[in-house]
Amino acid sequence: MNLAQLPASTACFWTKSFNNSSGYDTFALCIDPTGASVYDCELPSGSSVVETGPSVTPGTWHHLALSWDGSNKHNYFDGVSVGGGSHAIGSGNQGMALGASRGAYYVDGVLDDAIYYTRALSAAEIAQLAAP
């Protein structure tokens, strides 16, 4: 991800909703107005788990990733673990949004190599993907 500028409000460039009527997300990778990376997920009950990580610099490429194995969520920034925890994340058959969150909060920048795996990646695999 390479942002042209920081968003005016939190902008989620990749979301996977599990309940469109309530706006619950299985996960969301976002950037807040200060540039901080935001790793968001909702539990099956709808309770939100929001964790922030390092800040992005507009005009610079960054790699953000989230890996979840069904019990444990891991957040990554430029290939390095920046938090996570044991969470039961909600799931459903709603579609993904890339570049915007549910039709709003558009990201002004470039996304490259957006990949969704159907399995949890290891820390070593994430680091390899983040390597230039």
Side-chain angles (χ1 to χ4, degrees):
M1 168 192 47
N2 188 337
L3 294 181
Q5 62 186 13
L6 294 176
S9 61
T10 299
C12 299
F13 58 89
W14 194 327
T15 62
K16 170 73 169 93
S17 296
F18 75 87
N19 184 327
N20 277 345
S21 65
S22 63
Y24 296 162
D25 295 315
T26 298
F27 67 81
L29 292 173
C30 312
I31 302 298
D32 76 11
T34 69
S37 52
V38 179
Y39 306 83
D40 182 8
C41 70
E42 267 79 31
L43 307 177
S45 66
S47 297
S48 185
V49 177
V50 179
E51 298 165 304
T52 58
S55 293
V56 301
T57 304
T60 303
W61 283 100
H62 292 283
H63 182 269
L64 277 70
L66 185 148
S67 182
W68 179 63
D69 64 10
S71 299
N72 300 294
K73 181 175 77 76
H74 301 278
N75 310 323
Y76 296 90
F77 185 89
D78 289 340
V80 177
S81 177
V82 293
S86 296
H87 307 294
I89 299 175
S91 62
N93 60 1
Q94 302 298 320
M96 287 189 204
L98 185 62
S101 175
R102 288 186 293 288
Y105 313 111
Y106 295 95
V107 175
D108 184 7
V110 179
L111 301 176
D112 187 29
D113 296 336
I115 303 170
Y116 178 82
Y117 292 89
T118 58
R119 65 175 179 86
L121 298 182
S122 68
E125 289 173 311
I126 300 269
Q128 184 176 17
L129 288 169

